[in-house]
Amino acid sequence: MDKVLFHMFSDDRFMDLTLYQYGYEQCLPLHSYGPFVRNHFLFHYVISGKGTLLVDDENSQSTEYQLQGGMGFLIEPDCVNTYFADRKDPWEYAWIEFSGLRAKEILEGSGLSSDSPVYLPRTPQDGERLKNEILYLATHAQESSYHLIGHLYLSEEYERLTELVTIGLEAMEEKFDTERNEGAKNAGK
């Protein structure tokens, strides 16, 4: 049986980042959507199972992505996409559709784009946290608009912040290694 939670967000006071819809689905085998063009960004986090994403380029050539639990995928506005569940192990996913003045900036910070639409968490914990934030939205539609937007920021900003912290730590580690190596060289003189 196909299990679906689906909600529309109807508060237009948020311009930087706003929700349009969000939900959860345990898909039936070969359940599909598309080909379709979206007006906003749409991100799916695959909780379990498998499926396929087809992304058409400007020449109508499709690129195929095989996805499974623990991965995610982005659909950008104005791009033709089709996605479908596996015949033997259909996927279960949660999704958020969003837009706003900062949406593209946040996505670019996480490395997602139409050229690179597949999300692979840096660690299993990162993936788990993102999954939990999106599922929270799907299961708490009755909360205030401000509450839901806060959780949207948590889900979208988390990967970006994780990336920035990791880059910062790597840069500090590299600087420390360089200084330690220079100190060792100077001590040997």
Side-chain angles (χ1 to χ4, degrees):
M1 176 179 202
D2 204 18
K3 182 178 177 187
V4 179
L5 292 173
F6 176 81
H7 305 284
M8 298 292 291
F9 187 78
S10 59
D11 192 327
D12 62 358
R13 293 178 288 174
F14 303 95
M15 294 181 61
D16 281 348
L17 194 60
T18 193
L19 282 167
Y20 286 94
Q21 60 155 303
Y22 44 99
Y24 160 89
E25 187 165 7
Q26 170 63 64
C27 296
L28 294 172
L30 298 178
H31 169 79
S32 67
Y33 195 88
F36 195 76
V37 176
R38 297 286 179 166
N39 294 322
H40 312 107
F41 294 99
L42 179 64
F43 179 80
H44 288 73
Y45 184 83
V46 181
I47 298 165
S48 65
K50 299 176 186 172
T52 302
L53 169 67
L54 301 173
V55 179
D56 290 2
D57 66 17
E58 59 277 350
N59 300 318
S60 298
Q61 298 296 311
S62 290
T63 301
E64 182 175 308
Y65 300 92
Q66 297 297 316
L67 300 149
Q68 62 186 15
M71 300 170 79
F73 62 96
L74 175 70
I75 294 174
E76 286 198 331
D78 304 319
C79 295
V80 177
N81 292 272
T82 304
Y83 51 98
F84 54 92
D86 188 74
R87 177 185 308 272
K88 294 180 182 172
D89 187 14
W91 52 19
E92 169 188 20
Y93 54 61
W95 76 87
I96 49 176
E97 183 175 1
F98 59 96
S99 193
L101 299 174
R102 293 196 57 223
K104 190 142 183 98
E105 170 194 341
I106 290 168
L107 290 167
E108 286 172 353
S110 67
L112 290 171
S113 68
S114 57
D115 294 331
S116 182
V118 176
Y119 166 79
L120 294 168
R122 188 176 284 276
T123 67
Q125 294 81 9
D126 290 348
E128 188 69 19
R129 172 138 181 193
L130 180 60
K131 175 190 82 169
N132 290 339
E133 288 300 333
I134 297 172
L135 281 173
Y136 184 90
L137 289 169
T139 58
H140 289 81
Q142 75 284 358
E143 299 290 348
S144 74
S145 298
Y146 293 104
H147 187 90
L148 294 174
I149 287 293
H151 277 276
L152 176 63
Y153 271 100
L154 285 173
S155 65
E156 291 303 311
E157 289 283 351
Y158 185 74
E159 181 65 22
R160 181 170 180 231
L161 291 173
T162 300
E163 183 74 23
L164 292 174
V165 168
T166 301
I167 290 169
L169 288 173
E170 287 171 355
M172 286 175 19
E173 191 174 294
E174 185 177 310
K175 184 175 178 15
F176 177 75
D177 287 344
T178 301
E179 289 174 357
R180 184 178 56 206
N181 290 339
E182 287 176 7
K185 284 180 191 175
N186 291 334
K189 288 184 179 180

